Amino acid sequence: MKESMWGYAVITLGILAVGIIWFFANVTRTDQHNYNLLKETVEASMFDALDLSAYRKDGTVKIIEAKFVENFIRRFAENADLSNDYKIEIFDVNETPPKVSLRVSSRNSTGVTGEMVDFNIVNNIDAILETKY
């Protein structure tokens, strides 16, 4: 009887450990996905929002704020994970020199333990547009 209880305890502990590892792997994967998506989306949106007429006219590199915001929201929404709730905060968009500061918060929840546990994952980025040219 004593050995069978140890067997049950080991199996229960193993299932609990696998659940905890799965949960933290999911949170880490969500954070990494959000960061890569944010970085690539900001860069592509800044290139799309370049004001080519100003560059041709007098050689200044600037972006159009409304075009950047529109492109960023569209690109982010196309590639975001649908199982999370996102909150996008754009703090600063400088047209000349091209600089953007924003934050994306996502909310991840689990019910593994029987009670709902919420984790807020926040990614910040400050991007300055640089090119070789």
Side-chain angles (χ1 to χ4, degrees), residues 16 22-23 107-119:
L16 185 65
W22 174 81
F23 173 71
R107 186 174 167 154
N108 203 0
S109 62
T110 184
V112 173
T113 59
E115 63 183 56
M116 291 304 287
V117 180
D118 289 332
F119 286 91

Side-chain angles (χ1 to χ4, degrees), residues 49-132:
L50 276 175
D51 189 5
L52 293 177
S53 63
Y55 182 73
R56 289 181 187 138
K57 182 179 176 185
D58 55 1
T60 59
V61 178
K62 65 185 258 185
I63 61 172
I64 302 169
E65 180 178 359
K67 195 172 181 182
F68 168 77
V69 172
E70 177 186 345
N71 282 325
F72 178 77
I73 298 296
R74 179 182 52 83
R75 286 176 183 269
F76 193 85
E78 286 175 355
N79 297 313
D81 186 13
L82 297 177
S83 65
N84 294 332
D85 297 328
Y86 291 98
K87 180 180 177 185
I88 299 173
E89 299 172 87
I90 300 175
F91 296 117
D92 187 24
V93 177
N94 287 343
E95 292 183 347
T96 306
K99 177 195 166 287
V100 176
S101 298
L102 53 96
R103 174 186 300 155
V104 173
S105 304
S106 66
R107 186 174 167 154
N108 203 0
S109 62
T110 184
V112 173
T113 59
E115 63 183 56
M116 291 304 287
V117 180
D118 289 332
F119 286 91
N120 293 330
I121 300 171
V122 178
N123 296 101
N124 296 322
I125 192 165
D126 298 317
I128 299 172
L129 184 65
E130 313 185 290
T131 61
K132 297 184 239 178

Side-chain angles (χ1 to χ4, degrees), residues 41-52:
T41 304
V42 165
E43 182 181 2
S45 299
M46 286 180 83
F47 279 122
D48 283 349
L50 276 175
D51 189 5
L52 293 177

